[in-house]
Every structure is written in structure tokens, then in C-alpha cells.
Amino acid sequence: MNLLPASLAGRTLLLVLAVVVVAATTIVSLIGEVRRSAHVAQTTQLVAGQIRLLQTVLPGLDASARERLARLPAGDGPQLQLMPDGPGVPSQEPDFGFGRRLAETLSEQLGEPISLRHINHPRGQPPQTDSSPPRGEPRPRSGLWIGFMAGSERWWLLLPPPRFEPPELPPQLWAGLALALALLAAIATIFVRGIVGPLARLGEAVDAAGDGAGRPVVPAGPSEVRHLAERHNGMLARLAAADAERREMLAGLTHDLRAPLARLRLRLALLASDEERAGLTRDADDMERIVSQCLAFLRSEAVAGTAPPLPIAAAISEAVARQQELGRPVTLLADAASADCRVAIDAAALQRVLDNLIDNALQHAAPPVELSLSVLSAAASPKFCLCVRDHGPGIAAADRERVLDAFTQLEPARATSGRCGLGLAIVRRIVAGCGGELTLGDAEDGGLVVHLRLPCTWPGGAVRSGERQCR
């Protein structure tokens, strides 16, 4: 399982924070080490001075003075306590770093070996053992026992636990580190946003270019990102120039074909044989149909969803009425919600969509062709749904995506009948330009059904009742 953030911004911010945390931890560790070293040196100076003083004073004191000196109360603070040698001295040697470092530095400063012992039990509750001193004698306290020679006698200085380690770092230091970390995180966020923001905009522009709606981006951010944006803009310019050249070439070709077609029709009218005239007329019709499809495909590239809202149900109803006047088996079923529905689509583009869908259904499938209008329920973005259903064999699921591509024909024989495989490609391009989607599916009782879903609105912006799912 990858625990790293998925986005570049998250990973960059995590890297910056990790570097800051490691640096702060290292600094705090170094400060602690310096404090511990200074504390050992300070404690060594204190203890060494006390030992030298006691080594000078103790040999000249009588027994009663020594006893009174050893019985002086030490209290609960961090001060040293003088203890005489005896059975109450602990036997355990210190096994922690402070004790070992103190023994080494004391031995170096005093020039003689130093004995250290350690005892650790609850303060004021020393354990009672056979070696415990008799009643009235000072009881051993928790701490570090430092043994030294004063004349011919051994004495012990008791170093209490508060002196073992330096004081904890002040809370103000931790608060300052936390504030500095938060400030660095904010600065890093602004810094990362300045890098990732231009990259995100460039990524959106690349996605748009992949969808056929390329747009240039303003170069921003680091020099590498700016150079990448400039290259992207240059690529878009070259693609636009190549696309314009292609469209101009195809448009000129189809335009130039119309003149020979007109002359061909004129010669056909002069032919005496009806049989020859009929065959050549069909060929001319096929050629003109191909030219018209190519022109329609080129015009569909300029279609976008910026047309004024069109009462689409009324426009479709008029188109179906014209089809029925020509004797074509086309029917229309519309629900109440679609009556006032408006879609931003050009009327001529909608006519090309309906002509292509109905012609495909009648020529490559079986009648009747059924059109149904409905509204796809959605509170945020309702969709107008047009379904065109035929009663033919349908299209296999594996071929439905491929048949939407330009110049694709599932049956090679169609290429000889004046068709060039642009009908559904024209429909998909127009629908995509209006912000909609086109899908193919199977009808419940056989046949192919084409679903068109387009963003729609109502007068006043309210969604009307009676909306239902597109079938």
C-alpha cells in the first residue's frame, strides 16, 4: 500500500515538512547534547571543589566535629550531602551515561580514582536491609554516591537525582519550534502552489487539447514549467495550422466536385436511353451525397454550445412532421417535462443530427423509427434526452465505439452506395460541441437505440414536474 500522497503538491509539501522536521529534530538533539555536556562539566567543577575542600578540612577535625558534619540535614533540594563510610553505603555501581561521564571527568581533574555508587528508591522510604545503619544514623538517600579519600578515611558525597540530568528544555522553546514549523508549512504551501498551479492549468489545457478543444495557457511558474507551457502553445498553433489546412483542402475539394457534378447532370439530361440515364443518375446522386456528408462533417467542427437556447421539443416535432410528410415511418413520443425544455444548439446542427440518425435507421436497419423525448432527472444539471430507436439487427457491443469514428463502415458493401461512414461521427461531434454525450445500446425487444443527452434549461430556471429517466 502506497502511503505517499497521490498529488505532486502533496508529495512536495510532505518532502518540505519532512526536511524541516528532521532539521528541527537535529537542532534540538544538538542543543540537548550541548546542555548535557555543560551540565556534566558544571557538576564536575562543583563536586571537585567540594572534594578538595573536604580533603583539606576533614583531616584536622576531631571525631565529634566529623560526626556533627555528617549529621547535617540535606533537605529535599539538589545540594550535596556528606556521608561517612560504613555499611549503609550502596554497593551498586551506576550504569547510566551521566554517572560514567562524571566518574571519568572527576578522576581526570582530581588525579586520583573516584568510586561511584548508585541507589534508587522512593524518596524518604529507603529499604531496610541487614546492611542498613542502626537507628539514629543517617539513612541512605536516592542519588549518586561519590567516594573520595580524606587523609586515611573514606568519605562519600551524595549527589541527589535532580543533578543527574540538565533541566528540561523550556516550554517556550517547544512553542517557538511549533510556531516556526507552522510558519514554514504555510510558506511551503504558498511555494508549492506556485509550482503546482501552473502545472495543473497546463494539465487541464492538455486534456482539453486531447478532447479537440485545445486552448493556450499563460506561461507561469518556474522556468521549466514556463518553457513547457510555451512548447504546448507552439504545438497548439502548429496543430491549428495543420487542421485549418486540412479543412481548407477538403472544403475546396468538395466544392470543386460540385461543378463536374452539375455538368454530369446536364449531359445525363441529353442522353436518349432511360436505362443509361437512370444508372448514371444514381452514380451522380451517390457522388453528391458523399460531397454533402464531407461538407457536413467539416461544418460540425465549428459547432459549440454557445448558440441561443432552442425549444428543442418543438424543433424535433417539426422535423418529424416533415419526415412523415415524405411518407417515412417515423413516430415521436414526448413527455410533459420536455415540452418547455431548451438546449443551446443551432437549429441547422439539430437538423443534421436528426437527418443522419433517421437516414441511418431507415437505410441500415428496419422501420419504424421511434423518437422519444424525456428529461434525465438531476438536481444540479438536468439533461434533455433524445432516443432514436429502430427495429433492425442492432450493432454488436464490441463495434459500438468504433462505429462512431469518422469513415468507419461495418459493412464494406456500403462504400459503393454513396456512403462514406460519416453519419454517426457528425452526430457525435455536434453533440460533444454542445456539451452532451452520445451512446449506443440495445432496445428491449430488439433493434438499436441511440441515446443523446444534452444540457438543458427551462424558462425561469425551474425544473418542471413529470421528468423521467431516459430509456
Side-chain angles (χ1 to χ4, degrees):
M1 182 176 61
N2 189 5
L3 299 180
L4 293 176
S7 64
L8 176 62
R11 294 193 177 192
T12 306
L13 185 60
L14 180 62
L15 174 62
V16 173
L17 293 180
V19 171
V20 172
V21 169
V22 170
T25 304
T26 303
I27 293 174
V28 172
S29 301
L30 291 175
I31 292 175
E33 182 62 27
V34 171
R35 287 169 62 88
R36 282 189 291 272
S37 299
H39 177 66
V40 170
Q42 182 182 6
T43 306
T44 301
Q45 293 291 336
L46 173 64
V47 174
Q50 291 287 338
I51 291 176
R52 290 192 182 99
L53 177 62
L54 291 172
Q55 285 176 335
T56 304
V57 173
L58 286 174
L61 298 178
D62 56 17
S64 61
R66 294 178 184 179
E67 184 178 356
R68 288 194 304 272
L69 184 62
R71 289 181 180 273
L72 289 176
D76 295 332
Q79 62 269 27
L80 301 175
Q81 181 184 5
L82 181 64
M83 304 291 292
D85 194 20
V89 177
S91 60
Q92 180 181 357
E93 295 184 358
D95 58 352
F96 51 95
F98 176 80
R100 292 191 296 270
R101 295 171 67 181
L102 182 63
E104 294 174 358
T105 54
L106 277 176
S107 299
E108 292 176 0
Q109 288 201 15
L110 295 175
E112 60 181 76
I114 297 296
S115 301
L116 266 70
R117 301 289 186 271
H118 178 240
I119 184 171
N120 186 18
H121 57 73
R123 187 173 59 186
Q125 299 293 331
Q128 299 294 328
T129 63
D130 296 339
S131 61
S132 298
R135 184 177 298 275
E137 295 293 330
R139 294 183 181 274
R141 300 173 62 207
S142 295
L144 192 63
W145 293 62
I146 306 171
F148 64 95
M149 297 300 296
S152 60
E153 297 176 323
R154 179 174 294 278
W155 289 82
W156 297 87
L157 274 178
L158 176 61
L159 187 66
R163 285 189 176 272
F164 285 6
E165 292 293 337
E168 296 291 335
L169 294 175
Q172 295 83 354
L173 177 61
W174 296 109
L177 286 175
L179 181 60
L181 183 61
L183 182 61
L184 288 173
I187 295 175
T189 301
I190 298 174
F191 176 75
V192 170
R193 185 176 299 174
I195 297 177
V196 178
L199 278 177
R201 291 190 291 271
L202 182 59
E204 294 173 357
V206 171
D207 289 339
D211 295 335
R215 62 176 185 272
V217 293
V218 179
S223 59
E224 292 82 358
V225 180
R226 291 199 303 270
H227 293 162
L228 186 61
E230 292 170 357
R231 293 189 182 96
H232 169 77
N233 294 340
M235 179 193 68
L236 287 183
R238 290 190 294 272
L239 289 176
D243 188 61
E245 183 180 358
R246 177 181 62 87
R247 283 187 280 112
E248 183 178 358
M249 178 186 66
L250 290 177
L253 177 62
T254 54
H255 181 272
D256 292 342
L257 281 175
R258 290 188 178 275
L261 282 173
R263 292 194 298 270
L264 180 60
R265 289 185 179 277
L266 179 60
R267 291 190 177 96
L268 287 175
L270 300 178
L271 289 177
S273 173
D274 293 338
E275 182 178 354
E276 292 179 356
R277 186 185 300 116
L280 292 175
T281 301
R282 285 194 299 270
D283 293 339
D285 292 340
D286 290 343
M287 293 173 64
E288 187 170 4
R289 189 178 300 112
I290 292 174
V291 170
S292 299
Q293 283 190 334
C294 289
L295 286 174
F297 183 72
L298 292 174
R299 294 192 187 103
S300 66
E301 292 183 341
V303 173
T306 57
L310 176 71
I312 192 166
I316 294 176
S317 179
E318 293 177 2
V320 171
R322 287 194 295 271
Q323 295 284 341
Q324 292 173 344
E325 290 175 357
L326 296 175
R328 290 186 164 188
V330 181
T331 60
L332 175 65
L333 175 64
D335 64 4
S338 63
D340 296 331
C341 186
R342 297 177 181 271
V343 175
I345 186 172
D346 183 72
L350 176 62
Q351 187 63 49
R352 287 199 295 272
V353 167
L354 295 175
D355 289 343
N356 278 286
L357 291 178
I358 294 174
D359 288 347
N360 279 349
L362 291 176
Q363 294 182 13
H364 306 305
V369 179
E370 300 173 355
L371 279 68
S372 62
L373 311 180
S374 59
V375 175
L376 184 63
S377 301
S381 56
K383 302 285 186 181
F384 173 82
C385 186
L386 166 64
C387 297
V388 180
R389 182 259 174 99
D390 60 48
H391 291 76
I395 298 177
D399 296 329
R400 289 174 188 167
E401 185 64 27
R402 185 168 64 92
V403 79
L404 297 176
D405 295 335
F407 303 105
T408 299
Q409 296 184 2
L410 298 181
E411 299 178 9
R414 295 182 182 178
T416 61
S417 60
R419 300 289 169 179
C420 54
L422 289 176
L424 290 177
I426 293 171
V427 174
R428 183 170 70 168
R429 179 170 289 181
I430 293 175
V431 171
C434 297
E437 58 180 346
L438 169 68
T439 57
L440 307 180
D442 292 323
E444 295 179 357
D445 52 351
L448 178 70
V449 56
V450 182
H451 300 277
L452 278 71
R453 296 180 178 87
L454 300 167
C456 62
T457 58
W458 282 264
V463 178
R464 302 303 176 86
S465 61
E467 54 191 49
R468 57 188 174 89
Q469 295 290 336
C470 180
R471 298 185 302 273

